[in-house]
């Protein structure tokens, strides 16, 4: 109970928000618009879970937004070339993993700071895409949107994929050795090394996984519209990092879990519609989100200082 | 005339650790006063008290005859105290003149900088030291001794009357040392009081006028190195200052032989005040060295010899509290042949470690003991020589290989690297044995908990339970957890690095019993410790390291004096 206080308090805040919506704006819970909102948000949740792993390892990745766009456009072009959808999906995930591996190799292999490495790859992917694509949208053929299924089924698949990723990561972090090692490396890489763990391998691994998840998220996003905007994914990294931080993953590494990320993600995602439904002026949206993030960081800072008394 | 600096019964504690238990010390104008003591004797704490970085808990501090309380680093600086640390603290990207300017010019955010004056002043100071350093050079481009000279220039420029030098020669070559000594002698001739910290006895005999020995946070004696008449000043109020200087001081080479060459200066000795009374703490048998003022007869106390100095440093008896070995050691488990690692300065280590044997690694901080441990654990792999395990040559290039070969390393500084503070004890305990404890794909929390409870019971870890975080434990219990983690790997060779540092007395003795029990069960233990009685008491054999090499092998229970002499390099002869 005490150990998960951080996650529980975010969940509590989320429930409080949902409760006030249930009382003051019950039509927030109408199934169809709710499902649409969840589906639209699902790819971001997948990316946020990946970033959570990287932050647990005491690293950061701000290139996911650009990588997301590269994967989206590539998958879109493949689909537009009439290749079967699974091929496009595999290509997108692989491309994402390669992008993640590049970051991972530079961070874990060469030993460069992840913030600069991913800043460089962020700009490179984005500008490279602008150069090749010239801002032209990719029109997708029929049968791509919602995987060629009825919309409700497509939405179900997208949300189901996000849930599957969430469950898989939650399981791995808790029940696999490698999950334990992620926490150890994030807490203290040198101590982990002295305990016989390979911190650089673990770090490389989480970057690759984040890349692959970004590629998957790109597909989950792609199937929701008839065309691909090459400018997609802007600010995605910031939204994902915000959800991770609010969800109780310590930026200093080694603490947190994906359930907290889910709660933090939903909390931030609900603020915008909640303000609309609760008739608050929408200008307050970003300010409130900012305040929530700040509160989360302060809470973590206080906690960390207590531990290092 | 009062001494420049006088400390009386100064005490200082950090939490439960009493770093200074009553130190009395004084520094006169125009003398070099050496400060000597084992690792952890309290030297660093003492100089930090003098420099205003720590506030003493008790005792008095007088500077220039004035009682000072609440000394801050700024106030110490104003009072003319300058500290020169082993690693010069210059800003590497700034020029020498800028570095000096930053130290000496008043801090004011909006003051216009007079670059010409700043440069001029720096040049003058450096010239006064006879240093051939351009004020326009970037500090980072200077060699270590040059950087030290810049630090000394800062001290000069600030008009320091008290200069503290903390192992200034640790990284200098012989020639550079002599140049530094000349500067120190010039400072002394200008009436500056120099507190000189060094482990090298030859330096102390070459340079110092007096020496104070610290042991376990107490000053156990202040003695003349070269008897000189400086104390006359205190006795006869109207006599002129401490000069005449007893001629040019002998060069380092001349006096590096023990004792004999030194007494020739004894004619200058004043009968009085050459020995300060010992602090009124526990009488530990040094009584015979407390010489009473002998009136005006010529029975002046002789200057101290190297051998006496070492005896003062080690002082204590090895008590019988250490658990004794009950069986003979068995086969050789680990055998090192001319093992070396250029990167970490480990040279030509040849050592055999037998099953059931505890070999102590003694030596001063920086002697290469931890470095050797890191080579054996594959953290900085060896680049020459051979490691054999049970008679077979092995290559250890990574910690994983070391673990596979049955080598375990419990690192020093456990608060940082021994346990992971944010993780529960159970997770910490199973960290190194995942493949064995969890043979399937996933973790089994039941098995983990059982293992943790057993391990905690086995080593008597006091904790709320296996789920308590590593950071919630006391130092001794953290050490037990770090130890238990490695015992779980069932190692053949266990390397312990400072296993009882910062651990309270009770836990310390428990850890000693555990170590002996492990050896008894057939483990080969390599014990690194700066706690000399611990090394002497626990070890079956003692390897003394200095400068990355093993310089002596001694049987367990050896004389502390002999071990310390080897660690200090007393038997090295002329340097």
């Amino acid at each position: 109970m005490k150990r998960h206080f951080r996650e529980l308090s975010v969940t509590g805040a989320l429930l409080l928000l949902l409760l006030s919506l249930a009382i003051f704006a019950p039509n927030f819970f109408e199934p169809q618009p709710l499902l649409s909102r969840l589906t639209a948000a699902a790819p971001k949740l997948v990316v946020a879970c990946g970033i959570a792993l990287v932050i647990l390892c005491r690293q950061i990745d701000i290139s996911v937004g650009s990588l997301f766009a590269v994967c989206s456009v590539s998958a879109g072009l493949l689909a537009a070339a009439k290749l079967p959808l699974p091929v496009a999906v595999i290509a997108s995930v692989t491309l994402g993993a390669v992008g993640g591996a590049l970051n991972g190799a530079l961070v874990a292999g060469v030993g460069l700071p992840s913030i600069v490495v991913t800043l460089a790859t962020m700009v490179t992917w984005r500008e490279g895409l602008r150069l090749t694509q010239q801002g032209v949208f990719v029109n997708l053929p029929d049968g791509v949107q919602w995987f060629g299924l009825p919309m409700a089924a497509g939405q179900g698949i997208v949300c189901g994929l996000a849930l599957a990723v969430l469950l898989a990561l939650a399981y791995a972090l808790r029940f696999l050795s490698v999950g334990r090692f992620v926490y150890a490396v994030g807490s203290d890489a040198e101590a982990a090394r002295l305990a016989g763990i390979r911190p650089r391998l673990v770090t490389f691994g989480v970057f690759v996984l984040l890349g692959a998840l970004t590629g998957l998220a790109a597909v989950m996003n792609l199937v929701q519209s008839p065309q691909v905007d090459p400018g997609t994914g802007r600010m995605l990294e910031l939204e994902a990092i915000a959800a991770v931080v609010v969800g109780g993953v310590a930026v200093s590494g080694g603490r947190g879990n994906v359930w907290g990320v889910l709660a933090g993600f939903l909390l931030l995602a609900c603020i915008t519609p909640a303000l609309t439904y609760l008739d608050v002026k929408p200008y307050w949206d970003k300010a409130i989100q900012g305040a929530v993030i700040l509160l989360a960081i302060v809470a973590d800072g206080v906690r960390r200082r207590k531990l290092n008394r | 005339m009062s001494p420049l600096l006088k400390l009386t019964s100064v005490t200082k504690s950090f939490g439960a650790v009493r770093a200074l238990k009553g130190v009395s010390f004084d520094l006169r104008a125009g003398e070099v006063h050496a400060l000597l003591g084992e690792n952890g004797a309290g030297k660093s704490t003492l100089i930090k008290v003098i420099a205003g970085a720590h506030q003493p808990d008790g005792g008095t501090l007088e500077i220039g005859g004035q009682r000072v309380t609440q000394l801050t680093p700024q106030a110490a600086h104003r009072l003319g105290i300058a500290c020169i640390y082993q690693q010069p603290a210059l800003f590497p990207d700034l020029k020498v003149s800028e570095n000096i300017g930053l130290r000496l010019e008043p801090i004011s955010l909006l003051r216009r900088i007079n670059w010409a004056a700043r440069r001029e002043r720096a040049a003058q100071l450096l010239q006064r030291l006879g240093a051939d350093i351009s004020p326009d050079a970037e500090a980072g481009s200077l060699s270590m001794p040059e950087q030290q000279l810049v630090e000394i220039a800062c001290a000069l420029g600030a008009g320091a009357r008290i200069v503290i030098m903390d192992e200034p020669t640790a990284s200098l070559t012989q020639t550079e040392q002599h140049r530094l000594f000349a500067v120190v002698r010039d400072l002394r001739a200008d009436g500056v009081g120099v507190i000189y910290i060094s482990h090298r006895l030859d330096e102390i005999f070459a340079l110092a006028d007096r020496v104070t020995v610290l042991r376990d946070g107490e000053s156990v004696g202040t003695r003349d190195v070269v008897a000189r008449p400086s104390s006359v000043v205190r006795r006869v109020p109207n006599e002129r200052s401490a000069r005449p200087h007893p001629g040019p001081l002998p060069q380092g080479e001349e006096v590096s032989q023990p004792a004999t060459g030194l007494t020739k200066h004894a004619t200058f000795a004043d009968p009085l005040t050459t020995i300060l009374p010992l602090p009124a703490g526990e009488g530990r048998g040094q009584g015979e060295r407390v010489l009473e003022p002998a009136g005006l007869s010529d029975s002046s106390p002789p200057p101290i010899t190297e051998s006496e100095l070492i005896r003062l440093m080690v002082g204590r008896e090895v008590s019988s509290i250490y658990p004794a070995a009950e069986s003979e050691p068995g086969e050789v488990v680990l055998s090192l042949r001319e093992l070396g690692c250029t990167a970490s300065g480990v040279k030509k280590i040849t050592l055999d470690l037998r099953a059931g044997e505890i070999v102590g690694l003694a030596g001063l901080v920086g002697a290469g003991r931890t470095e050797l441990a890191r080579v054996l654990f594959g953290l900085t792999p060896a680049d020459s020589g051979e490691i054999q395990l049970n008679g077979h040559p092995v290559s250890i290039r990574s910690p994983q290989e070391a673990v596979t070969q049955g080598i375990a390393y419990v690192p020093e500084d456990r608060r940082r690297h021994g346990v992971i503070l944010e993780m529960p004890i159970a997770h910490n305990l199973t960290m190194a044995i995942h493949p064995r404890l969890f043979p399937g794909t996933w973790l089994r929390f039941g098995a983990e908990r059982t293992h943790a409870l057993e391990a905690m019971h086995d080593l008597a870890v006091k904790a709320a339970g296996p789920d308590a975080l590593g950071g919630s434990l006391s130092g001794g219990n953290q050490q037990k957890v770090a130890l238990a983690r490695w015992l779980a790997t069932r190692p053949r060779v266990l390397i312990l690095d400072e296993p009882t540092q910062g651990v309270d007395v009770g836990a310390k003795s428990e850890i000693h019993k555990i170590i002996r029990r492990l050896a008894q069960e057939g483990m080969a233990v390599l014990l690194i410790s700066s706690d000399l009685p611990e090394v002497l008491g626990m070890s079956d054999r003692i390897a003394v390291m200095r400068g990355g090499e093993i310089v002596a092998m001694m049987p367990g229970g050896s004389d502390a004096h002999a071990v310390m002499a080897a660690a200090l390099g007393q038997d090295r002869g002329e340097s």
Side-chain angles (χ1 to χ4, degrees), chain B residues 535-547:
Chain B
V535 174
L536 298 174
M538 289 297 301
S539 311
D540 300 316
R541 286 187 301 144
I542 299 161
V544 186
M545 288 190 74
R546 171 159 42 84

Side-chain angles (χ1 to χ4, degrees), chain A residues 3 175 177 180 188 304 309, chain B residues 416 422 443 448 467 471:
Chain A
R3 183 173 313 156
F175 291 100
S177 288
R180 182 70 63 76
D188 189 336
R304 184 139 188 110
R309 82 207 116 85
Chain B
R416 213 153 114 54
E422 306 219 318
L443 307 185
E448 176 163 66
D467 295 330

Side-chain angles (χ1 to χ4, degrees), chain A residues 42-124:
Chain A
K44 292 180 188 169
L45 177 63
V46 169
V47 173
C49 285
I51 285 207
L53 289 181
V54 169
I55 293 183
L56 277 177
C57 265
R58 207 173 192 162
Q59 302 291 349
I60 192 86
D61 188 338
I62 56 171
S63 70
V64 285
S66 302
L67 190 58
F68 182 86
V70 170
C71 292
S72 296
V73 170
S74 308
L77 288 172
L78 289 176
K82 302 287 183 211
L83 283 161
L85 194 54
V87 174
V89 175
I90 291 168
S92 178
V93 171
T94 311
L95 187 59
V98 169
L102 177 66
N103 285 335
L106 290 170
V107 172
V110 187
L112 302 173
S114 51
I115 180 84
V116 236
V117 166
T118 57
L119 176 66
T121 48
M122 171 177 94
V123 176
T124 311

